[in-house]
Amino acid sequence: MSAKATAIAPANIAFIKYWGARDLTRAIPNNPSISMTLERCFSRCTVEYLRDARVHEVLLAGSGGALLQPPIDFAKRILEHLDRLREATRATGAFRVATFNSFPSSAGLASSASGFAALTLAVAGALGLRLSDRELSELARESGSGSAARSALGGYVQWPAGDDEEHCYAVRIAAPEDWELRDVIAIVDDGPKPASSLVGHGRAETSPYYAVRQSLLPSRLARVRDAIARRCLADLGPVLEEEAIDLHLIAMSSRPPIFYWKPGTLAVLQAVRELRAEGFAAYATIDAGANVHVICDPKSEATIARRLDALIEVRAVVRDRVGQGPRLVDEHLF
Ligand code: PMV
């Protein structure tokens, strides 16, 4: 007997970053983070539960629909998570999985966040289980991708909700309808990043500036929460830029250092400053990669996208927005 389910889960962009962990394997972070869930950057994952099988199968869906063998490292993390989910759900069979990303993978655009949230929801769907937001968030986090805990919910999300290591899940702090922010993503490099975020988390505490950032975080967290509650981009923007710079300052001063930026990263940061000088509310943030997310309001979005697209360093621009979070859908990948 078999049962199939397909889930879509969006990526997210962190306003306050997760960087450094108390327990890296289970993604128990050193600090709370806050993100906005996206809409157009998503993973779609189809899972078939094969009750009589013992060995999982993982495939990668190309944009034309072809199913391909995935790179070994990618498949390994998925297989480990499938074993974890099989144990957590007391299932005895195996899973056949195909996954598709609507955007470049491993380029610092949170493909592991959307990928593991979609995988977790699709496995539950194939087993006929209904997960609460909290259960989905905790189970997705157990993949080792902490940001996947935030992709379990739509809108504006904080993770973790409290200090309890055993129950480390995300909560929604505002709905997408509460504040219609846009994210213009300037892709300056669509290749894999030089070091995975897992490597970056592991090295974070070797930076002499790590403790300084930690000491600044409680006030930053409060400022971001407050700006979201008041829908004030002029207050949110400077904090999210400070956070992005500090994340990369920590990465660049870790031992050995990690440089995620490319020349195009600086070109976009410069353009964002010029746009601001002209009166556009545009603020930049960067996860563990070279690509820049420009957070803005709906009325500035088109101009910002056009200006960034015109830069020779920019390969593509994705116009994304705050979104609804994961869901089960009927269109399967196989
Ligand atoms: O969830 P991970 O292990 O891929 O780490 C995410 C790290 C950042 O994207 C840089 C920050 C964040 O909070 O999303």
Side-chain angles (χ1 to χ4, degrees), residues 203-204 206-208 250-258:
R203 273 187 216 165
T206 65
S207 162
I250 305 288
M252 289 184 209
S253 56
S254 293
R255 313 237 165 92
I258 307 171

Short mmCIF file of all heavy atoms in Angstrom, two decimals, residues 203-204 206-208 250-258:
data_model
loop_
_atom_site.label_atom_id
_atom_site.label_comp_id
_atom_site.label_asym_id
_atom_site.label_seq_id
_atom_site.Cartn_x
_atom_site.Cartn_y
_atom_site.Cartn_z
N ARG A 203 31.71 27.81 13.54
CA ARG A 203 32.88 28.66 13.71
C ARG A 203 32.57 29.99 14.40
O ARG A 203 33.48 30.73 14.76
CB ARG A 203 33.47 29.01 12.35
CG ARG A 203 34.43 27.97 11.88
CD ARG A 203 35.10 28.44 10.62
NE ARG A 203 35.31 27.28 9.76
CZ ARG A 203 35.60 27.36 8.49
NH1 ARG A 203 35.72 28.53 7.90
NH2 ARG A 203 35.78 26.26 7.79
N ALA A 204 31.29 30.32 14.54
CA ALA A 204 30.90 31.67 14.97
C ALA A 204 31.61 32.11 16.25
O ALA A 204 32.12 33.23 16.35
CB ALA A 204 29.39 31.75 15.14
N THR A 206 34.39 31.46 17.39
CA THR A 206 35.84 31.74 17.29
C THR A 206 36.09 33.20 16.93
O THR A 206 37.21 33.66 16.96
CB THR A 206 36.53 30.84 16.23
OG1 THR A 206 36.00 31.18 14.93
CG2 THR A 206 36.30 29.36 16.50
N SER A 207 35.04 33.94 16.56
CA SER A 207 35.23 35.36 16.25
C SER A 207 35.34 36.16 17.54
O SER A 207 34.52 36.00 18.45
CB SER A 207 34.04 35.89 15.45
OG SER A 207 34.02 37.31 15.51
N PRO A 208 36.33 37.06 17.64
CA PRO A 208 36.44 37.89 18.85
C PRO A 208 35.24 38.83 19.02
O PRO A 208 35.05 39.40 20.08
CB PRO A 208 37.74 38.67 18.64
CG PRO A 208 38.07 38.54 17.19
CD PRO A 208 37.42 37.29 16.68
N ILE A 250 31.07 38.69 11.78
CA ILE A 250 31.41 37.49 12.56
C ILE A 250 32.00 36.43 11.62
O ILE A 250 33.03 35.83 11.92
CB ILE A 250 30.16 36.90 13.27
CG1 ILE A 250 29.45 37.92 14.15
CG2 ILE A 250 30.51 35.63 14.04
CD1 ILE A 250 30.12 38.31 15.39
N ALA A 251 31.34 36.21 10.47
CA ALA A 251 31.83 35.18 9.54
C ALA A 251 33.25 35.53 9.06
O ALA A 251 34.14 34.67 9.05
CB ALA A 251 30.88 35.05 8.35
N MET A 252 33.46 36.80 8.72
CA MET A 252 34.77 37.19 8.17
C MET A 252 35.86 37.18 9.23
O MET A 252 37.04 37.12 8.89
CB MET A 252 34.68 38.59 7.54
CG MET A 252 33.87 38.63 6.25
SD MET A 252 33.92 40.29 5.54
CE MET A 252 32.38 40.38 4.67
N SER A 253 35.47 37.26 10.51
CA SER A 253 36.49 37.26 11.57
C SER A 253 36.52 35.92 12.32
O SER A 253 37.17 35.80 13.35
CB SER A 253 36.24 38.42 12.55
OG SER A 253 34.94 38.34 13.07
N SER A 254 35.81 34.91 11.80
CA SER A 254 35.89 33.57 12.40
C SER A 254 37.23 32.97 12.00
O SER A 254 37.88 33.43 11.06
CB SER A 254 34.76 32.68 11.88
OG SER A 254 33.52 33.15 12.34
N ARG A 255 37.62 31.94 12.73
CA ARG A 255 38.91 31.30 12.41
C ARG A 255 38.66 29.87 11.95
O ARG A 255 38.17 29.07 12.76
CB ARG A 255 39.80 31.27 13.66
CG ARG A 255 39.85 32.59 14.36
CD ARG A 255 41.24 33.12 14.50
NE ARG A 255 41.19 34.54 14.86
CZ ARG A 255 41.20 35.01 16.11
NH1 ARG A 255 41.28 34.19 17.12
NH2 ARG A 255 41.14 36.30 16.33
N PRO A 256 38.97 29.49 10.70
CA PRO A 256 39.38 30.40 9.63
C PRO A 256 38.19 31.23 9.14
O PRO A 256 37.04 30.83 9.32
CB PRO A 256 39.87 29.44 8.53
CG PRO A 256 39.18 28.14 8.81
CD PRO A 256 38.92 28.08 10.27
N PRO A 257 38.49 32.38 8.51
CA PRO A 257 37.41 33.29 8.10
C PRO A 257 36.56 32.73 6.96
O PRO A 257 37.02 31.90 6.19
CB PRO A 257 38.15 34.54 7.60
CG PRO A 257 39.59 34.27 7.70
CD PRO A 257 39.84 32.88 8.18
N ILE A 258 35.33 33.20 6.89
CA ILE A 258 34.44 32.84 5.77
C ILE A 258 34.00 34.14 5.09
O ILE A 258 33.43 35.02 5.74
CB ILE A 258 33.18 32.10 6.26
CG1 ILE A 258 33.55 30.91 7.15
CG2 ILE A 258 32.33 31.65 5.08
CD1 ILE A 258 32.35 30.27 7.85
#
